[in-house]
Amino acid sequence: MKKQLVFATNNQHKLEEVRHILQDKYEILSLKDIHCEEDIPETADTLEGNALLKAQYVKNNYGYDCFSDDTGLEVYVLNNAPGVYSARYAGDTKSSEDNMRKLLNELKDKKDRSARFRTVIALLEGDSSYLFEGIVEGEIIQEKRGTTGFGYDPIFVPDGYSETFSELGSDIKNKISHRAEAVKKLKNFLHEKI
């Protein structure tokens, strides 16, 4: 029987990515699967802090070993904004369209459009906590391209590619993305323990 581990998310895109990577050894449960309906507050000012807050909430209130992630798009010329505020950059509605529009507007006169996606995963297992980081460097293009993915995927081109994350599709993105890198580190850590 596979070990159960909660991924503290209701984001179906993230859940599918992570289940695909960890499916061989673990049954990955979502917040919905454990009947956690609360909107877990993300009040920390770092990705690490938010990831730990979410995982700790599940561990404290539901008793499951848990991992959680927080991801930010960091644009160097904007002092790493939107960063920890990536999901709500244009307001609390968390609209990807509005977030992209705001970012493209802020970059319209900038020559340097280099950026990175950074994911931090916090794992709480037993009495211990662990952090795993994944980073993918790239740049923000001037207009949206592609139809797959979510968030800022249509305007981010990873280094070494000419297509956006949206154009590359989930198979390639799941191999090279910031989340994939962090999840691979998590997977390697978990597999060493089995």
Side-chain angles (χ1 to χ4, degrees):
M1 187 170 152
K2 292 181 182 179
K3 181 176 178 185
Q4 289 186 328
L5 196 57
V6 173
F7 180 18
T9 189
N10 280 318
N11 182 316
Q12 201 58 38
H13 298 289
K14 286 183 184 182
L15 192 60
E16 286 169 14
E17 279 183 28
V18 169
R19 279 182 173 156
H20 181 73
I21 294 167
L22 294 175
Q23 66 190 348
D24 55 339
K25 303 267 197 235
Y26 287 86
E27 179 186 358
I28 304 301
L29 304 174
S30 69
L31 292 175
K32 184 178 180 182
D33 293 330
I34 63 167
H35 308 292
C36 176
E37 307 292 331
E38 299 85 25
D39 190 13
I40 302 171
E42 297 179 46
T43 55
D45 57 4
T46 64
L47 299 176
E48 292 83 356
N50 279 338
L52 280 166
L53 276 175
K54 290 186 283 187
Q56 195 67 59
Y57 184 91
V58 170
K59 184 84 169 160
N60 290 347
N61 292 284
Y62 294 87
Y64 287 91
D65 283 348
C66 177
F67 67 95
S68 178
D69 78 317
D70 200 18
T71 295
L73 174 65
E74 299 174 341
V75 181
Y76 298 118
V77 75
L78 301 178
N79 295 319
N80 291 337
V84 74
Y85 304 107
S86 293
R88 54 193 182 278
Y89 193 44
D92 287 334
T93 58
K94 297 184 178 181
S95 162
S96 294
E97 289 298 320
D98 292 347
N99 289 338
M100 284 187 283
R101 195 174 306 115
K102 178 177 179 179
L103 182 60
L104 291 174
N105 189 47
E106 290 187 357
L107 288 175
K108 69 180 177 206
D109 299 326
K110 309 283 191 227
K111 285 192 166 100
D112 179 6
R113 300 174 75 88
S114 57
R116 70 180 184 177
F117 269 117
R118 190 165 72 92
T119 292
V120 175
I121 293 176
L123 168 67
L124 297 181
E125 191 176 42
D127 295 328
S128 301
S129 64
Y130 310 91
L131 292 174
F132 308 91
E133 180 183 63
I135 293 173
V136 63
E137 301 283 346
E139 70 172 357
I140 304 300
I141 59 171
Q142 300 199 10
E143 57 189 19
K144 296 188 319 180
R145 294 194 330 233
T147 56
T148 66
F150 61 100
Y152 297 90
D153 287 357
I155 60 171
F156 182 83
V157 174
D159 284 354
Y161 292 83
S162 57
E163 298 91 2
T164 66
F165 268 162
S166 276
E167 293 172 304
L168 288 170
S170 59
D171 284 347
I172 294 173
K173 182 188 171 190
N174 287 349
K175 290 180 180 143
I176 67 167
S177 79
H178 44 293
R179 186 169 300 102
E181 184 182 331
V183 172
K184 281 177 200 158
K185 290 176 182 176
L186 171 67
K187 178 181 181 176
N188 291 340
F189 174 81
L190 291 171
H191 285 195
E192 285 171 12
K193 301 183 76 171
I194 290 178

